[in-house]
Structures are given as structure tokens and as C-alpha cells.
Amino acid sequence: MGSRFQVKDRFADGAQFIDGQLRSGTSGQSHTIVNPATGEEVLTYELASTADVDEAVAAAKRAFPAWSAATPGERSDALHRLAAVLAEQAEDFAYAESLQCGKPIKLSTEFDVPGTIDNTAFFAGAARHLQGQAAAEYSGDHTSCVRREAIGVVGSIAPWNYPLQMAAWKILPAIAAGNTIVLKPAELTPLTSLMFAQAAKDAGLPDGVVNIVTGAGRDAGEHLVGHPDVVMTSFTGSTAVGKRVAEIATATVKRLHLELGGKAPFLVFDDADPEAAAHGAVAASLINTGQDCTAATRAYVQRPLYDAFVARVAELMETVRVGDPNDWATDLGPLVSHAQRDRVAGFVERARGYATVVTGGEIPGGELADGAYYRPTLVSGAAQDSEVVQSEIFGPVLVVLPFDTDDEGIALANDTPYGLAASAWSRDVYRANRATREIKAGCVWVNDHIPIISEMPHGGYKASGFGKDMSAYSFEEYTQVKHVMYDNTAVAAKDWHRTIFGDRT
């Protein structure tokens, strides 16, 4: 696949987007984006300094009064124009996303980019529906209503696994609600976040509404979260880093939204369709090379189906085509970096000491040797308390364990610090409904695993964080709810005043 632009030319002015302009960072430190499929340099750019963060926040602060005062219809129109610009540039976005992440082009073209366009169109409509409770006389003597107001400058941090979609999930609800934003993407994968901000400018959004600072987490990221003019931070990433973000944000009494790690269970009851479950497990565990916090990582299979499930999943995994992300025949690309590949391989190598690697568990050689590739891997025989079952691996690795009773299966599914996503596989509606009630996760699929839609919320329980991305529920994160109460009596000396001074008349 070709591209209509050359990355080094496109970002010749730098990898920061501040007040409507691409510019270079001023930290004095550079970072090189590497194509994980080949190990080749894509772009070397200057990282943002704390001074760059200050300028971005100042630009967002200047833009806030006018943008928050725009009517819902005006913000809606701007987002509709943005959706159209994104659609026009879809090929470029797909190319850049695959280049920096190693995603197969069919995934970026058919999932990441259209999902982002759909999110944009959704929030274009949702901008007109920032509603509160209807006016009514709850006290009898007053009319009450609820206003939803923009809160100010949002400082958000997005991860490297879905750079485009995560940028959109942070930016869209914030600006639809009338806020302005400074987003810090991961240093590894800033290209499509910068392109998204440029697309917003092309669509006519005012300068300063969307700003991107690309810098190191300990410098630019922590400074953004702790900035006194940032009133809210939204972070997606690991639970460990999320704890640090929370420490900084709560020290300055900021509103906080966290979407953290996951270790999603895939619960297969003995009346499930075996073929559907096996196909679902392969797709759900290998999406984005397993670098997905909702990916199926722990398959619990009721014992009558267990052996057949292990054999069929292994058989299907062995058909997965690992290769060049730009080839439409490729199913599985590399991990985002060689460091991430080696981290995943470490988990599997340690698991060989206490479990069985049924298939995979290899770094391929030959034409793929220079890339950060790892073969689809199935592990069986691990104990529930083992590292490979309990820790977030974030790679193309599925662990499968048996269970006997429904009670045991649900208990095992919940036996993790995380609670982001899960699935239950059964043809019994009562069994499936029980699983949806009792599994502690922010999303529970039945007879499927992975699909997301703009109209429904995404967010977790427990160590997976709190708050919601997507859907109208996301406005709970990005708006201030204000109660307004009007007196209807026109009486100067009200009866309730006597509780403070005077006697009843």
C-alpha cells in the first residue's frame, strides 16, 4: 500500500500541535519513531518540554471562553465537518496508523479509522443533547433545573496501542461538551493524533481548542496532569502509571478519569457452540496482536468442552498469517516495539516452567526477523495464581483453564484485580444472564467478545479504573452539573426563615 504523503515531509515542522500550528518541541531531547515491522526509522522529532506544555495549556485556556460559549448546534456542525475531513483522509490515517504501530492494514482500514469517524459523527449529534433533568417544582415553592456546563481545559494522556481511536475518545467528548484540550499521545505513536488535530483545524475548529504535546511521560505528562490551569485529566494506560497520575491529579483536586489495565476472562459453559467459542477466542485474543486491554486473555472452559476447545483453538491459531502489515493478506502484525515483544516472550518463557505452551511461543525468523513479531500463543495447564494468568501480558497470548461448576467458573472469572471486560458463551439465556450480572466488569459480551459501538460506554471496575469513554455517559466526565433554583412565591419573609430568625407569623 502506498501513501499520499511522506511522513518526514508531513511533520517537517515538528511533532507538537499548539494553537493551531505544527511546531518542534524545545526539550533538547529527540525521539525516533520506529516501524516495528522492519526496525527502520520513520521519524525523529524533538520532544515537548514543560514550557511547551505551558504554551499548549495557555492556548487552550484562551480558546475556552469562545468555544464554551458556542451553541451546541455550532459545535455539532464543527464535528460533522471534522467527520467529513477524516473520511476524506481515511487512507492516510490508515497508512500512518499501521506504519507507527505495526497494525495489519486491514485492521487499521476496517476498524481503527472507520471507528474513529463513527465516534466523531456520534459526538457531533451528542453535542446537541447535553441535557439535565427537566424543570419542575420539587420543593413546591421553587422551580429547579439542571445545567450542564463545560469545565475548562482538559489535559489527557493516550496510550500507544490504539493511538487514533484513543485520541478521538479523549478529544471528542471533551470538545463536544465545550471544553478545550491538551492531549499527550505516547512518544512511540504520535502521528495520527497530530493528524487528527490538523484535521480539526481543516474542519474549521478554532485554534487552541485541540492541542497535542508529544513528550516524555515523566516530564511533559506529569507537568500536564499537575498544571494549575488544567481542571481535569483523562488517562488511558497501565494501572501502575494510572496510580501515579491519580497521585498528581488529586494533589491539585482535579477531576479524574482512568481507563486502566485489563485481564479479560472468556467464560465457556458446556452448552456453548464449540466452534463459535473457538473462533471467538482466536479473534478476541489476537486483535491488535493482543495489545488490547479488553482482549480475551483467560479462557475458562467447562470440563466437557475443554480438550476439544484447546485442540481447536490451537488449530485455528496455526492458520493465522503473520507478516507484513501492508499486505492485505496479513492477519497478525508485529508488536509495537521490540521491547514489548521481548516482554511478552519473557512471560511465555517463564510459563514453560509451570505450564504447557500448546502452540506458538516463538519469535519468527527469516523475512520477519528484523520486526517485533511473536507468533500466536496458547498456554494450558497454568495455575490460577500463576503470573501468566494474573498479570497483563499485552501480547498474542491466550491462557486456557478448565472449570467444573458454574459457580466455580464465575468465581475464577472474577479472580483478578481487573474488571474491564469479559464474555460468557452459552446457549442458555438464564446461564448467560447470570454471568452478565455476576461478572464484575464494565462490559460483558454474550457469545461474542470485542465489538464496541459509539453509543455504548467503555470503562471498568476495580483496578481497571473508573469513568466512561464513548456514549452520552462520557459527558458525566466532561461536564459540570449545576443546579439552578428559582423562587416562585415573590414573598419577602418566607416561612423557612423562622428557623434562622424570628417567629412563625
Side-chain angles (χ1 to χ4, degrees):
M1 178 179 175
S3 169
R4 294 177 298 195
F5 72 93
Q6 296 297 317
V7 170
K8 292 180 181 179
D9 293 338
R10 180 71 171 261
F11 298 102
D13 292 330
Q16 319 298 326
F17 190 88
I18 298 173
D19 206 14
Q21 299 295 326
L22 276 173
R23 44 167 282 186
S24 183
T26 62
S27 69
Q29 298 177 319
S30 63
H31 182 83
T32 298
I33 301 170
V34 174
N35 180 346
T38 63
E40 297 173 347
E41 175 190 343
V42 173
L43 178 72
T44 297
Y45 67 92
E46 295 297 313
L47 292 166
S49 66
T50 57
D52 296 324
V53 173
D54 290 341
E55 289 192 34
V57 172
K61 187 176 180 180
R62 287 193 301 271
F64 175 73
W67 182 248
S68 62
T71 66
E74 289 168 338
R75 292 197 295 268
S76 176
D77 288 347
L79 291 178
H80 277 300
R81 294 195 301 271
L82 175 56
V85 172
L86 295 173
E88 290 170 2
Q89 300 177 7
E91 182 182 351
D92 282 356
F93 273 99
Y95 170 80
E97 193 78 338
S98 289
L99 184 67
Q100 66 182 351
C101 300
K103 294 176 187 282
I105 194 64
K106 67 178 180 180
L107 180 67
S108 59
T109 299
E110 298 180 7
F111 180 75
D112 296 77
V113 174
T116 300
I117 295 169
D118 186 72
N119 284 170
T120 307
F122 170 80
F123 279 107
R128 291 180 177 266
H129 296 282
L130 285 167
Q131 298 172 343
Q133 195 166 13
E137 288 68 48
Y138 294 98
S139 78
D141 291 337
H142 307 81
T143 297
S144 287
C145 67
V146 170
R147 291 175 55 87
R148 281 192 180 271
E149 298 179 350
I151 58 176
V153 178
V154 178
S156 294
I157 299 176
W160 48 256
N161 58 332
Y162 289 103
L164 176 60
Q165 291 205 77
M166 295 297 100
W169 286 15
K170 301 299 183 196
I171 293 168
L172 292 169
I175 66 174
N179 304 290
T180 56
I181 188 167
V182 179
L183 174 76
K184 193 198 89 65
E187 304 96 297
L188 290 173
T189 55
L191 300 182
T192 47
S193 299
L194 293 162
M195 291 169 64
F196 189 93
Q198 182 64 60
K201 181 180 175 68
D202 294 344
L205 273 76
D207 292 347
V209 172
V210 178
N211 305 274
I212 308 293
V213 290
T214 308
R218 290 191 177 275
D219 300 320
E222 292 197 2
H223 189 66
L224 177 62
V225 173
H227 199 288
D229 289 332
V230 169
V231 298
M232 173 194 165
T233 191
S234 175
F235 170 81
T236 296
S238 71
T239 298
V241 178
K243 291 178 180 178
R244 175 60 180 158
V245 169
E247 290 174 1
I248 299 169
T250 53
T252 50
V253 198
K254 286 178 172 45
R255 185 175 296 198
L256 183 61
H257 167 220
L258 298 175
E259 198 267 273
L260 306 177
K263 190 70 177 175
F266 187 98
L267 187 61
V268 183
F269 294 102
D270 58 13
D271 66 335
D273 180 332
E275 193 69 3
H279 277 82
V282 173
S285 62
L286 300 184
I287 184 172
N288 201 33
T289 318
Q291 299 166 123
D292 186 313
C293 49
T294 63
T297 58
R298 300 177 292 138
Y300 296 102
V301 184
Q302 208 150 20
R303 203 161 306 262
L305 295 184
Y306 178 79
D307 290 340
F309 178 89
V310 171
R312 184 59 173 145
V313 169
E315 181 181 38
L316 290 172
M317 279 189 170
E318 288 165 5
T319 70
V320 172
R321 297 163 295 185
V322 181
D324 179 3
N326 285 330
D327 186 341
W328 279 85
T330 293
D331 298 321
L332 195 79
L335 288 106
V336 74
S337 68
H338 289 78
Q340 180 65 14
R341 190 271 314 274
D342 293 345
R343 179 181 180 275
V344 170
F347 275 102
V348 177
E349 290 309 304
R350 291 189 295 274
R352 293 184 192 276
Y354 55 80
T356 300
V357 177
V358 180
T359 190
E362 298 172 350
I363 297 173
E367 295 180 352
L368 304 181
D370 292 333
Y373 291 94
Y374 198 75
R375 294 203 182 280
T377 300
L378 181 66
V379 177
S380 68
Q384 175 66 12
D385 62 355
S386 62
E387 177 191 52
V388 77
V389 175
Q390 292 294 327
S391 297
E392 189 174 29
I393 299 172
F394 229 55
V397 180
L398 177 65
V399 184
V400 59
L401 300 90
F403 70 94
D404 292 303
T405 68
D406 289 14
D407 288 349
E408 181 190 8
I410 291 173
L412 289 169
N414 284 328
D415 183 27
T416 174
Y418 301 106
L420 187 58
S423 62
W425 297 73
S426 173
R427 286 182 272 204
D428 183 327
V429 65
Y430 298 104
R431 215 174 195 183
N433 282 345
R434 179 193 175 190
T436 65
R437 290 192 306 271
E438 296 186 13
I439 292 176
K440 304 304 180 187
C443 176
V444 181
W445 292 280
V446 176
N447 295 326
D448 209 343
H449 191 121
I450 283 299
I452 54 175
I453 49 175
S454 298
E455 292 82 359
M456 289 292 111
H458 175 86
Y461 285 31
K462 302 188 292 186
S464 291
F466 48 81
K468 299 300 179 185
D469 288 310
M470 298 199 300
S471 83
Y473 290 98
S474 65
F475 287 136
E476 301 298 326
E477 319 304 324
Y478 295 98
T479 57
Q480 183 69 50
V481 175
K482 177 186 286 184
H483 171 215
V484 179
M485 178 179 267
Y486 302 89
D487 172 60
N488 293 330
T489 66
V491 173
K494 295 178 172 56
D495 186 57
W496 72 266
H497 291 175
R498 70 180 177 81
T499 62
I500 313 301
F501 70 100
D503 299 319
R504 184 187 294 276
T505 58

